[in-house]
Amino acid sequence: MAKVYVFDHPLIQHKLTYIRDVSTGTKEFRELVDEVSTLMAFEITRDLPLQEVDVNTPVATAKSKVLAGKKLGIIPILRAGLGMVDGILKLIPAAKVGHVGLYRDPKTLQPVEYYVKLPSDIEERELIVVDPMLATGGSAVEAIHSLKKRGAKHIKFMCLIAAPEGVEVVKEAHPDVDIYIAALDEKLNEKGYIVPGLGDAGDRLYGTK
Ligand code: PRP
Ligand code: URA
């Protein structure tokens, strides 16, 4: 069964408060999403395998550790997921980036796929699907399904804010995918927005309405 991790690191929680704040403008919102994504990347990479190497220090040879060369992939769900990519790449610059374009139909709330472009070797990669919001769960479920259909085997899902309803939907549809969240909020409203949430992540990142 999928595990759900809520990152309670004080820096993540502090920055998330300002991300939520309606008076935070586009520039600052974008910077904060970038910073929180870096901090979340630090937490999500805790279980990366290491291998021992010898390194010559100025004094002696030390047995030390380096990453064991696991291939990573970051998959933002467009549009809003794009806002998290650079922050993650700061810590794992060699990761490849694939894109899944989905929008949520405002009437049905169902995800509509409009673009998919992935690294050719996704079946060998550990993939981190990123999107600031997990609301009904429809977009995350569809994006993960789209990756699996194309051969992906190892997938994690990372978001800033999730609704309990969306977490359950993803766990049910993809029990092999662990979920990493900065905050688990109270509920969805009648329009499918997370309460209290942060509003429309894409609009706040890109200054649209
Ligand atoms: C938002 C968000 C998620 C989706 C979450 O995207 O970035 O992708 O809604 O909702 P769900 O869990 O109910 O599917 P949106 O559809 O607004 O598209 P955008 O990123 O292009 O603004
Ligand atoms: N998408 C968003 O951007 N915000 C929500 O609260 C729900 C879906």
Side-chain angles (χ1 to χ4, degrees), residues 7 9 13 52 71-72 87-88 96 104 123 141 158 167 184 186 197 209:
F7 293 143
H9 193 288
Q13 295 307 313
E52 202 169 78
K71 291 177 163 186
L72 296 174
I88 301 170
K96 293 217 169 148
R104 201 169 71 145
E123 64 287 346
V141 165
M158 182 168 110
V167 170
L184 184 59
E186 196 188 320
K209 255 280 168 283

Side-chain angles (χ1 to χ4, degrees), residues 43-60:
E43 296 276 6
I44 204 174
T45 49
R46 256 177 206 287
D47 62 353
L48 284 182
L50 293 168
Q51 65 188 47
E52 202 169 78
V53 293
D54 289 334
V55 62
N56 294 321
T57 79
V59 180

